[in-house]
Amino acid sequence: MVDHLANTEINSQRIAAVENCFGASGQPLAVPGRVLLGEGILTKECRKKPKPRIFFLFNDILVYGSIVINKRKYNSQHIIPLEDVTLETLPDTLQMKNRWMIKTSKKSFVVSAASLTERKEWISHLEECIRHLLMKTGRQPSTEHAAPWIPDKATDICMRCTQTKFSTLTRRHHCRKCGFVVCADCSRQRFLMPRLSPKPLRVCNLCYRQLLAEKKKEYSTSTSLLSRSPRH
């Protein structure tokens, strides 16, 4: 079906319509061989509260954005390469049903569908696209994933020291490594994680110690290998 639609006028028109809805704030989406397979509104678990987001599934990417005017205007466009995606079905909570996680190396987040059937369809289509893409490129499924951020409302106290209570004056912060909600005292350090950002990111004290230990281990391994290499 994808090959059949790839170079058709109807597919070009549908992709142009999506580009048009994002306007100047979005990136161009039309590339040779790209096919728009479907679209729908899913609820995304955001830092403050769950919010509806528009999602577009292509044969090689997943695009989502904020809804300004439904079916007419979207912004805050995000483009996720499907070969970097892993899916995980999640149990229902009191607030959200039909949940699953979209995991990638740069960002992982939870979404929920309006019904169980809709969730099954989304996951089925996504997995089919990922499978085809990995077969085509010869790549292995991604194993490194960014931790999803725990929503602010999930806790009133710092998840590391369990002492500091959050308030209007005491801000919540997120560790970029584990996704925990932490206080400023428990996340004073920054660490460079090139997979996530070219700049050092805020991490909690525990993750900082772990990352530092990993870095030292890598350094000692590489120096011992160099010292054992033959000299000419």
Side-chain angles (χ1 to χ4, degrees):
M1 184 187 168
V2 170
D3 294 337
H4 176 67
L5 285 167
N7 300 305
T8 61
E9 184 61 30
I10 187 81
N11 181 58
S12 300
Q13 287 172 358
R14 289 173 74 199
I15 293 176
V18 176
E19 286 182 340
N20 193 42
C21 286
F22 278 104
S25 69
Q27 292 182 45
L29 298 170
V31 299
R34 179 170 288 164
V35 175
L36 176 59
L37 298 172
E39 64 180 83
I41 294 172
L42 297 170
T43 302
K44 179 176 177 283
E45 288 187 12
C46 299
R47 181 179 173 172
K48 299 287 183 192
K49 62 177 182 179
K51 292 173 185 171
R53 294 284 184 260
I54 184 73
F55 281 79
F56 297 96
L57 176 61
F58 295 82
N59 59 328
D60 62 335
I61 57 170
L62 182 66
V63 176
Y64 73 93
S66 303
I67 302 164
V68 181
I69 305 166
N70 196 20
K71 296 202 179 291
R72 285 178 59 196
K73 194 176 181 197
Y74 311 120
N75 63 16
S76 305
Q77 185 194 70
H78 296 265
I79 299 173
I80 303 170
L82 285 180
E83 57 190 25
D84 191 32
V85 170
T86 307
L87 307 174
E88 182 187 341
T89 307
L90 299 173
D92 291 350
T93 64
L94 288 170
Q95 293 80 24
M96 306 264 286
K97 297 197 184 321
N98 314 309
R99 302 161 70 235
W100 77 95
M101 193 186 296
I102 295 171
K103 299 193 283 188
T104 81
S105 58
K106 291 188 180 295
K107 186 177 185 176
S108 299
F109 56 92
V110 176
V111 290
S112 69
S115 69
L116 196 58
T117 306
E118 194 179 312
R119 178 177 76 171
K120 279 180 183 171
E121 285 177 359
W122 266 104
I123 290 175
S124 167
H125 290 312
L126 277 160
E127 285 180 339
E128 185 73 1
C129 289
I130 294 163
R131 193 172 62 81
H132 275 289
L133 207 55
L134 291 175
M135 277 173 63
K136 197 172 159 187
T137 59
R139 274 187 56 175
Q140 290 299 308
S142 186
T143 52
E144 279 197 64
H145 306 117
W149 282 20
I150 290 168
D152 284 4
K153 285 189 178 172
T155 181
D156 290 327
I157 59 167
C158 171
M159 295 175 77
R160 281 297 176 217
C161 68
T162 67
Q163 302 296 317
T164 306
K165 275 198 161 190
F166 298 119
S167 65
T168 315
L169 297 173
T170 309
R171 281 191 59 210
R172 289 168 167 85
H173 298 281
H174 277 83
C175 170
R176 276 25 173 214
K177 179 76 170 70
C178 66
F180 274 28
V181 184
V182 289
C183 66
D185 282 344
C186 287
S187 59
R188 292 202 179 279
Q189 305 292 349
R190 299 285 186 278
F191 201 88
L192 182 64
M193 293 180 279
R195 194 164 44 84
L196 300 182
S197 170
K199 294 177 183 175
L201 300 171
R202 179 189 290 270
V203 290
C204 70
N205 298 345
L206 180 67
C207 285
Y208 180 73
R209 289 195 295 272
Q210 288 173 346
L211 287 162
L212 213 56
E214 282 170 23
K215 194 176 180 182
K216 281 178 183 172
K217 193 178 173 183
E218 280 172 23
Y219 179 74
S220 62
T221 306
S222 62
T223 50
S224 68
L225 283 170
L226 279 170
S227 66
R228 274 186 281 165
S229 60
R231 289 176 186 171
H232 301 285

